[in-house]
Each structure stands twice: as structure tokens, then as C-alpha cells.
Amino acid sequence: MRTDLVFCKSKVFVHPTKNARDNFPGFLLITVAGTTDPQLLWIPESSLSVKQLQLLIEMDEKLITEQKPVEMDVSIIMESSGAFSSFRVSLPSLYCIEFRPPSPSGWWYGSMISHLKDTRGDSTLPVLFFHDDVCPSTLKKKKQLNKSFDPFTSSGDVYWGGIDVRDTVAKLVDLQKTKVDQTVWLVNPSLDDLRNFSASALKSTTDQENKSTEPISTGDDFWNKWESAKWSIMSHIANATSKSSTIMTNLIKSHPVVQLVERNKNSFYVQKLLKNPRVIEIQDDFDSARVYLAKWALGVKEEADNYQSMHRLNEHYQRILKNDLGFDMTSDVSFTQEELNKAMERNFPLNRQKWNSFFDSQGRLSLTVNEIKDYIFHGGISDMELRKEVWLFLMGVYPWDSSADERIQIQQSLKESYNEYKNKWLLKITSFDDEDDESEQEYWDDQIFRIEKDVKRNDRNLDIYKWNTPDGKKPEDDNEEAGSDTSEAEHWKIKNPNLIALKNILVTFNVFNSDLGYVQGMTDLLSPIYYILRDETMAYWCFVKFMERMERNFLRDQSGIRDQMLTMVELCQLMLPKLSEHLSKCDSSNLFFCFRMLLVWFKREFDFEDVCSIWEIFFTDFYSSQFQLFFMLAILQKNCDPVIQNLNQFDQVLKYFNDMHSTMNWKDLMIRSELLFIRFEKLMTIMERKSEFIPSHEETYTSGANIHQQELGDPTSELPWKSKRLQLLLSKSMIIQKEAPRTRGSIR
Amino acid sequence: MSSKKKTILKVIILGDSGVGKTSLMHRYVNDKYSQQYKATIGADFLTKEINVDGDRTATMQVWDTAGQERFQSLGVAFYRGADCCVLVYDVTNTKSFENIKSWRDEFLVHANVSSPESFPFVILGNKIDIEETKKVISVKSAQDLAKSLGNIPLFLTSAKSSINVDPAFEEIARSALQQNQNDADAFEEDFNDAINIQLDGEADSCAC
């Protein structure tokens, strides 16, 4: 019988282990013979003769260009079937195929996972990875698409090797995209299949959800279901423990959910969920059954496609994307399901038990820094007591790889070092030159005067700073003057030990970094640190570390904060062009109204505990060392509509953003920040990729030259990916800008 | 003329950090006082509806600024269009008094006003509620300074005890309205004659 080759793709790899050395390439073929079902085959290169290899390489390019079937020598198939990992299935025997596009950054390859209808056998098909960078046909097609400045296919997706497979399969069988997961396509779906995977059935619940004022809480349902189902499995296990272990194993293994998980353990979702902090927590709860429980829990994601609650979660994020981010499925940049899932993993704060479990017997962390930062970025830290320890690591006072003993030593030497600096001003041991003595003395007196003034009026609503008594507690005799009621408003002496500590730390920092001096706003930065640590020495060193990062906000010439505001302007132009345009009509294109929020990291806009939660996420530098700018962007994005509809003057805009205290939900904003970052990163990558094919004659372009460039009408001139400021947003390393040496005439 | 449109009077408060700028603003606009005002970062403003010339009303926009020297470069963003500038010092703080002149100069440099020599300023010496022994700036030296800077009206105030705040701001409103009118006139009709305006509340000193 005549066999036609209708599709051939080279450099399709199998990754049997995590090790890249073990990957091996092959060809993905689709054949049609007479009236029999079309066949999907994968053949490893290693099983082919030189001649066969040459033939298939030829076919790879030929079929893409000509799109006509070619009669093929069946012997290739016959000889290589049975080779290691090769497979051959008929297309209609597949239930669904997942097409997972490559990451925009090129970190992981695009892949394809085929699921068989018949799941009885153990014939799981290997995951196929499309190494687009070495596949001639994919490269060729990409080049063609890029020539027309359009890296997208007719279906609107960014082109990659898997798209060719998908298009071919769609011609041979009925291939339908599921609505709940854009990467999953059903093969010859029955009506039931379509219904199960359709999101339309959920419309009524979604509409209700839209009316809810608390969108963030929608995740609870899912976890509640999980919790109750977890207990049902656990009770089965408990009943079984009295029986023999084989019975128990069989019992667990026969559970439909466990079976489902077993079959899908190579699935991206399953692996993804393994890393979910909540899942790990559940595992820890139940030692003996943890393996099965974990696997089961992971499988819930697979099953969850049938759960409305899960759909609602997706809907919620899609709604944010669609309505609020102004993003729709037909636009250039789309969030994939993975990215959304990643954002949804928030909500599980690091608690004491978890934190302790990170350390080995030496008191050394046994996880990688990135893993811990991932925890903190996505879940935060559960309480103030735990922050006391974790912040010292986050800030860099304790090295991540230190042991418990080493930390005790560090603490000791930090104490000595702090006292040394402190005594310099306390005992008036100053090394002023004789002639400068007077002005230096005047300078220091002024610094201390201003520090005291700000300490006295900082966060006095907090319990530890409230009462000006020697023990910092509320005086028993209420009539006694105690700080908050003192009549000599500006001239009272500080008695509260915590306020004294704040002052000591700020003055000592002034000795430590005498070029910078005391700048208003520093008290705002110190106050939460001291509140959490309650220890003058450790709070001091934490503050020193924090100031390495924040010094740029306080420079005399304002260059550091100006840089951030200009970055913000560019970011806003790129991500929120509508708002950006409106703001320039309001004389607010300089984003002056962001100044306070950026200077003290939203300290004045949120309640104290929220500030701690926000800061520790910034400290991680998980995505960017300037994540505060994405948080700022999220605030702008969230307020887009009211601003555009109601405000039209500089003063109105400033007032609007100045009066935001206690009106914002930081968690909602943080999820937006993350999605915005991901979108930004994607945009930058796509733009960069696109630009490789645009001849650039302005290599020295910098953002500052924007207007000049636009006048030239050069299409490349506005490409934001070339902006140094925007590029820097993708960096995780801290930006340090130091103050210039102080002279006698320096402004204060 | 501009009287048909609602008049907005923009007033800027300047002075060293901690002299009581925020407190004065809150006392005038809301008649409230708190010791909990944190150091101002950036700039903020409050508005108050005021009666002028009997039946007309105007909106006074009082702008509060950060006192620390290095933040002044940002002032440009909101000095523009000001109708009056209030210079505040603390009667218990010599330095804040000595800096009054430089605050005025700073403002004139950045605000880009049409005729600097006639732009209205008002000086407020704040915190007069504090006991006499702590006061370091005499009424005499304050009056001398006000005179030397071009007969600027001077008021000694206490935001905390609500002393003299309203009279001070009435004067500020008058000066601002005058300035606003002048600018509007200058804008609408191109007078060739030099406009010679006498400030009405001229240097009648303080009421304390």
C-alpha cells in the first residue's frame, strides 16, 4: 500500500533525564496510507542510516515549503520501529495533545505531550521537545515570518515548531482547543469532552464573582475542596494500617485519583504543584503517606479542570488580564496558563515550622537561596516574630550559608563594631580638623537636632513608640505627661527607650556614612526594622544594609530618585500608554505624584503590617531589584480608569494619589505587579527578537534622546527594549548609588 | 473677566523642617492640631472655600512642602502659578529664622513669577505658645527682617494653641487675591502703563 508522508519535523528531542547530555534527537512524522487512520510517529536519529537521515532532513524543509504529501519508503518505519523510545500511534487513538510553547526568554523549549484515550496500558508517550534553534524547517519559517515583521502565525500565536504539528494534525482530525487550558487540544472530541473543558458552563458563577468586592479570596474554595478530599483519603489510609501493607498499597493504588496522578507524573502541572508550598506543607503533615498524598494532591490540578472553583480562579485572573490589563486573547502578548498558575501560588506565608525545617543540624540552610526567596516572594512571612529572624538573612546581615555558630560570632562582632561607631559621637571623639571644628560641630548639632525632631513624630501610633516613659509603657497615672500629651510639643526630652534607640541608630549611621547625612524619610525606613528586631545593634546593621539599596533615594542632587521616576515614565508609556497619554494632558507626565511612594517604599500609603509584607517581597529581588517600580505600576494600572475619567489637572492627580492611605489591597496589587513584570519581560523579549531583523542605524540610542529620535521618523527609534533604564529593570542585582563626599558647603 | 470663573488662589508654605508648616495648614483649613504629623515628603495641599469681597467666594489651595534643603529642587513642579508665598520660622529656632531670606530667594528662582519685586510674601513666626525663656527670636528682629525684605506682612502665630492663624491667613488670602487679579488683568489686557499697586495689608505687623 502506498504510504504518504504528510509531515516531517527534525530535531524533535526526548529528554529522558534532567541532564541535557541525555537528550536525544529524532524526527516527528505523520503518515497517511489509504483509508487507514493517519499515524503519528517519532523515530530517533540514532536508529536511522545515513541515507535515511539525509532523506528525512530533506523532507523536513521540503514539506514545510511545499505543503504537499510525498510518497515514502515504508522501510524507514519498519526498521526503526522498536528502536529505543520510538513510538507510533494512530491520531484518532489520542485523547488530547498539549502544545506548550517555549518560554519567550528561550529558557525552556516548546514541547508536546500526547495523551492516549486508552489509559489501561502503561504506554505513556514521551514528552517531545522542539529544539527550534537547531531545526532547519522551523528556522526557515521563522525567518519568513520575521521578514514580514510578524512573528505570529495566522492563529495569532507566536510561532514555534509545535505550531506546524498542530496545523497538520488539525487537517487530518478534528482538533479543538479547550477553553480552560489554551494549550490543551482535544482530538476528535465527543460532546461530553467539549462540555467538560468548556468555560461557558461557568458563566453564571463567574458573573457573581465579578460582583464580589473581594476578588482575592476566590482561591479558598479550591483549597477547601482539597482539604476535605485530603481527609477522606487519610481516613482510608488510617483504616488500612491495621491490614497488611500490600492491601494498603493496593487500596491506595486503586484510588482513581492516585492512578490519574501516577499516569501524569511527568506532566508539567504535576511537577509544578510539587513545588507549591502548600502541597509541601500537606506532605509534612502526614509522614507515612506523604508520597501518595503529594502525588494525589498534585493530581487535583488535573482533576480540578472539572471543578468550578478552579475555573473561577482562572476566570478571575483572566478577568484581571482582560479588563484591567487591557489585554485580550488576540493581542500580541498573552499570559500562559503556567504564568497565571505561578501568580496564583501566593497566599501561603512562610511560618515558623516551615522555616525551621529549612535548616540542617548545623543550623545551616539546606535549601537554595532562590527557593527561599521564591517562598517569601509568593507567600510572605506569617508573623512579626518570624520576621525577626528571616529579615536578617533577607537584608544580608547573616550570610545565607552561615551556620548557627557562625551567626552567634557574627552577632558578637557586629555588637562590638556598632559600639565603636556609637561611641564616636556619644563620647564626642571626633576627628575634626582645627579650623573646621566649629562648622563641623554646628553640622553635627544640626543633624542630631533634625533626627530628634523626626524621631519624635514618627509612627507614634505604634505601641512601642507611643508612650514617652522610661519603660515605653503606658503610665499608670494617666495624668502624668507622657509624650503623646506633653505640652512642650517640640522641646520634650525623649524618654521612651525605643525612640532613643531610633535616634541612636540614625546618629550612628550618620557617623558611619557621613557623606550622606540624615535625610527626611530615613526614619520611615528604620522604624519597621527596629519594630521587628527590637534590638538596637541588629536593627542598626539591618538598617545599614537596607540603606545600601536605598541611598540612591536620598542623594543631594536627587539623581537616584530621578532615575527611578524616569524609568517609571518609560515603563508607564510602554505598559499603560492610555494612562500615560492622559497624564501628559494633566501636566503630570513627570509622575511627580509617585515621589513619596518611591522614596520611602509606600510606607505612608499602607498600614504598618502591610508595609512589612510589601517590603520583604521587595527585599527578595526575585524578579527585579527594582520591583517597587512594578508595584507602583500596579497602583497606576489599578487606578487607570478613575484617573482618566475624572482627573484633568496636576493638582487633582497629586491629591488623588496623596490620599490613598488604607484604600488599597496590597495583595491584589502584588499579584498585578507580578503579572505586569511577566508581561513586561515578555514584551521586551518579543521586541528584541523582532528587532533582530530590523536594520538599526542608531546603536547609541538612549532613552533620553527619545524626542529627537521620533522626529526622524525612524521605526526603530521608539523601541523601548533599547532603553537602558528599562533593560535595567530585568536585572536582579541591587543598584547602588553613593553620595559624593560632603564638603562644608554641601546642601543638607 | 475671570471673576465669572471660580477663582483658585494658590498659596505655598515654605520654611525649615519642623517649623510647623503642616500644622499651620491643618489649623487653618480644618481647625485641628496633632503632634502626629509626620515629616512631609514631596508635597501636598488642602483646599478651603473662602469669602472675598462679601459675596464672592474663592478656593484657597494651601500647599505644604518638605522642609529639607535637598528636596527643594523638586519644588519647581508645584511653585508655578502661585499667588502668594508664606515663609515660616520657629520662634525657638534661630536657624529657621536666618533661613527665611534664602527661602524667599529660592522661591523666586523656581516659581518664575512675572514681577518678582511685587510678588506677595507673608512671614509667620510660629510656636509662640512655647514658654518665653525658650524663644530666641525677638519681635523686633522679626519686624526688622520683614521690613528689609520689602515690607512683608509679619504674623506671630501658634498652630497648636490657635493663636493668630486665621488673621494671618486672611491677610494671605487678600494678598493672593490681589496677585491673582493682577495676573489676570495683565493677561487679558495689555496695559502699556506700568501698574503700580499698593498692597493693602501692608506691614501692619503682628497682632500679638
PDB file of all heavy atoms in Angstrom, chain A residues 381-393:
ATOM      1  N   ILE A 381       5.906  36.337  54.874  1.00  0.00           N
ATOM      2  CA  ILE A 381       6.276  35.729  56.148  1.00  0.00           C
ATOM      3  C   ILE A 381       5.084  35.888  57.078  1.00  0.00           C
ATOM      4  O   ILE A 381       4.466  36.947  57.126  1.00  0.00           O
ATOM      5  CB  ILE A 381       7.535  36.411  56.719  1.00  0.00           C
ATOM      6  CG1 ILE A 381       8.703  36.208  55.748  1.00  0.00           C
ATOM      7  CG2 ILE A 381       7.878  35.867  58.105  1.00  0.00           C
ATOM      8  CD1 ILE A 381       9.900  37.077  56.029  1.00  0.00           C
ATOM      9  N   SER A 382       4.760  34.824  57.806  1.00  0.00           N
ATOM     10  CA  SER A 382       3.473  34.792  58.502  1.00  0.00           C
ATOM     11  C   SER A 382       3.343  35.782  59.650  1.00  0.00           C
ATOM     12  O   SER A 382       2.283  36.312  59.872  1.00  0.00           O
ATOM     13  CB  SER A 382       3.176  33.382  58.994  1.00  0.00           C
ATOM     14  OG  SER A 382       4.113  33.043  59.996  1.00  0.00           O
ATOM     15  N   ASP A 383       4.411  36.045  60.389  1.00  0.00           N
ATOM     16  CA  ASP A 383       4.236  36.914  61.553  1.00  0.00           C
ATOM     17  C   ASP A 383       5.508  37.692  61.908  1.00  0.00           C
ATOM     18  O   ASP A 383       6.589  37.412  61.397  1.00  0.00           O
ATOM     19  CB  ASP A 383       3.787  36.089  62.762  1.00  0.00           C
ATOM     20  CG  ASP A 383       4.781  34.982  63.067  1.00  0.00           C
ATOM     21  OD1 ASP A 383       5.722  35.231  63.836  1.00  0.00           O
ATOM     22  OD2 ASP A 383       4.638  33.868  62.498  1.00  0.00           O
ATOM     23  N   MET A 384       5.332  38.641  62.796  1.00  0.00           N
ATOM     24  CA  MET A 384       6.425  39.553  63.181  1.00  0.00           C
ATOM     25  C   MET A 384       7.575  38.792  63.868  1.00  0.00           C
ATOM     26  O   MET A 384       8.733  39.120  63.661  1.00  0.00           O
ATOM     27  CB  MET A 384       5.891  40.633  64.130  1.00  0.00           C
ATOM     28  CG  MET A 384       5.006  41.647  63.428  1.00  0.00           C
ATOM     29  SD  MET A 384       5.941  42.707  62.293  1.00  0.00           S
ATOM     30  CE  MET A 384       4.659  43.798  61.713  1.00  0.00           C
ATOM     31  N   GLU A 385       7.232  37.799  64.684  1.00  0.00           N
ATOM     32  CA  GLU A 385       8.255  37.044  65.397  1.00  0.00           C
ATOM     33  C   GLU A 385       9.220  36.369  64.419  1.00  0.00           C
ATOM     34  O   GLU A 385      10.429  36.370  64.601  1.00  0.00           O
ATOM     35  CB  GLU A 385       7.590  35.943  66.250  1.00  0.00           C
ATOM     36  CG  GLU A 385       7.506  36.185  67.730  1.00  0.00           C
ATOM     37  CD  GLU A 385       8.687  36.929  68.342  1.00  0.00           C
ATOM     38  OE1 GLU A 385       9.771  36.345  68.542  1.00  0.00           O
ATOM     39  OE2 GLU A 385       8.511  38.135  68.623  1.00  0.00           O
ATOM     40  N   LEU A 386       8.660  35.794  63.380  1.00  0.00           N
ATOM     41  CA  LEU A 386       9.485  35.090  62.404  1.00  0.00           C
ATOM     42  C   LEU A 386      10.300  36.067  61.567  1.00  0.00           C
ATOM     43  O   LEU A 386      11.449  35.803  61.209  1.00  0.00           O
ATOM     44  CB  LEU A 386       8.597  34.218  61.506  1.00  0.00           C
ATOM     45  CG  LEU A 386       9.330  33.299  60.517  1.00  0.00           C
ATOM     46  CD1 LEU A 386      10.271  32.361  61.251  1.00  0.00           C
ATOM     47  CD2 LEU A 386       8.337  32.505  59.689  1.00  0.00           C
ATOM     48  N   ARG A 387       9.715  37.219  61.297  1.00  0.00           N
ATOM     49  CA  ARG A 387      10.447  38.249  60.532  1.00  0.00           C
ATOM     50  C   ARG A 387      11.756  38.592  61.225  1.00  0.00           C
ATOM     51  O   ARG A 387      12.761  38.869  60.588  1.00  0.00           O
ATOM     52  CB  ARG A 387       9.602  39.518  60.404  1.00  0.00           C
ATOM     53  CG  ARG A 387       8.439  39.343  59.490  1.00  0.00           C
ATOM     54  CD  ARG A 387       7.856  40.675  59.025  1.00  0.00           C
ATOM     55  NE  ARG A 387       6.898  40.418  57.963  1.00  0.00           N
ATOM     56  CZ  ARG A 387       5.575  40.529  58.109  1.00  0.00           C
ATOM     57  NH1 ARG A 387       5.064  40.943  59.244  1.00  0.00           N
ATOM     58  NH2 ARG A 387       4.779  40.239  57.104  1.00  0.00           N
ATOM     59  N   LYS A 388      11.708  38.590  62.537  1.00  0.00           N
ATOM     60  CA  LYS A 388      12.884  38.899  63.345  1.00  0.00           C
ATOM     61  C   LYS A 388      14.086  38.084  62.879  1.00  0.00           C
ATOM     62  O   LYS A 388      15.202  38.575  62.841  1.00  0.00           O
ATOM     63  CB  LYS A 388      12.550  38.541  64.799  1.00  0.00           C
ATOM     64  CG  LYS A 388      13.361  39.248  65.840  1.00  0.00           C
ATOM     65  CD  LYS A 388      12.883  38.804  67.217  1.00  0.00           C
ATOM     66  CE  LYS A 388      12.586  40.010  68.068  1.00  0.00           C
ATOM     67  NZ  LYS A 388      12.047  39.687  69.374  1.00  0.00           N
ATOM     68  N   GLU A 389      13.877  36.848  62.535  1.00  0.00           N
ATOM     69  CA  GLU A 389      14.986  36.014  62.051  1.00  0.00           C
ATOM     70  C   GLU A 389      15.198  36.161  60.552  1.00  0.00           C
ATOM     71  O   GLU A 389      16.315  36.338  60.095  1.00  0.00           O
ATOM     72  CB  GLU A 389      14.695  34.529  62.350  1.00  0.00           C
ATOM     73  CG  GLU A 389      14.991  34.154  63.780  1.00  0.00           C
ATOM     74  CD  GLU A 389      14.621  32.713  64.044  1.00  0.00           C
ATOM     75  OE1 GLU A 389      14.934  31.854  63.181  1.00  0.00           O
ATOM     76  OE2 GLU A 389      13.996  32.457  65.076  1.00  0.00           O
ATOM     77  N   VAL A 390      14.096  36.068  59.816  1.00  0.00           N
ATOM     78  CA  VAL A 390      14.231  35.990  58.361  1.00  0.00           C
ATOM     79  C   VAL A 390      14.779  37.283  57.772  1.00  0.00           C
ATOM     80  O   VAL A 390      15.587  37.255  56.850  1.00  0.00           O
ATOM     81  CB  VAL A 390      12.879  35.620  57.709  1.00  0.00           C
ATOM     82  CG1 VAL A 390      13.038  35.455  56.214  1.00  0.00           C
ATOM     83  CG2 VAL A 390      12.322  34.346  58.328  1.00  0.00           C
ATOM     84  N   TRP A 391      14.365  38.404  58.323  1.00  0.00           N
ATOM     85  CA  TRP A 391      14.815  39.679  57.765  1.00  0.00           C
ATOM     86  C   TRP A 391      16.335  39.829  57.823  1.00  0.00           C
ATOM     87  O   TRP A 391      16.937  40.451  56.958  1.00  0.00           O
ATOM     88  CB  TRP A 391      14.121  40.862  58.462  1.00  0.00           C
ATOM     89  CG  TRP A 391      12.769  41.157  57.887  1.00  0.00           C
ATOM     90  CD1 TRP A 391      11.894  40.244  57.379  1.00  0.00           C
ATOM     91  CD2 TRP A 391      12.144  42.441  57.728  1.00  0.00           C
ATOM     92  NE1 TRP A 391      10.761  40.883  56.929  1.00  0.00           N
ATOM     93  CE2 TRP A 391      10.882  42.221  57.139  1.00  0.00           C
ATOM     94  CE3 TRP A 391      12.512  43.750  58.049  1.00  0.00           C
ATOM     95  CZ2 TRP A 391       9.998  43.272  56.849  1.00  0.00           C
ATOM     96  CZ3 TRP A 391      11.635  44.788  57.766  1.00  0.00           C
ATOM     97  CH2 TRP A 391      10.394  44.544  57.172  1.00  0.00           C
ATOM     98  N   LEU A 392      16.941  39.254  58.875  1.00  0.00           N
ATOM     99  CA  LEU A 392      18.398  39.365  58.976  1.00  0.00           C
ATOM    100  C   LEU A 392      19.080  38.662  57.811  1.00  0.00           C
ATOM    101  O   LEU A 392      20.128  39.103  57.335  1.00  0.00           O
ATOM    102  CB  LEU A 392      18.875  38.783  60.314  1.00  0.00           C
ATOM    103  CG  LEU A 392      18.526  39.641  61.545  1.00  0.00           C
ATOM    104  CD1 LEU A 392      18.768  38.871  62.830  1.00  0.00           C
ATOM    105  CD2 LEU A 392      19.330  40.929  61.552  1.00  0.00           C
ATOM    106  N   PHE A 393      18.475  37.588  57.342  1.00  0.00           N
ATOM    107  CA  PHE A 393      19.006  36.915  56.147  1.00  0.00           C
ATOM    108  C   PHE A 393      18.680  37.715  54.894  1.00  0.00           C
ATOM    109  O   PHE A 393      19.538  37.966  54.055  1.00  0.00           O
ATOM    110  CB  PHE A 393      18.403  35.506  56.003  1.00  0.00           C
ATOM    111  CG  PHE A 393      18.964  34.496  56.971  1.00  0.00           C
ATOM    112  CD1 PHE A 393      18.379  34.292  58.205  1.00  0.00           C
ATOM    113  CD2 PHE A 393      20.081  33.749  56.634  1.00  0.00           C
ATOM    114  CE1 PHE A 393      18.891  33.359  59.094  1.00  0.00           C
ATOM    115  CE2 PHE A 393      20.597  32.809  57.507  1.00  0.00           C
ATOM    116  CZ  PHE A 393      19.999  32.616  58.753  1.00  0.00           C
TER     117      PHE A 393
END
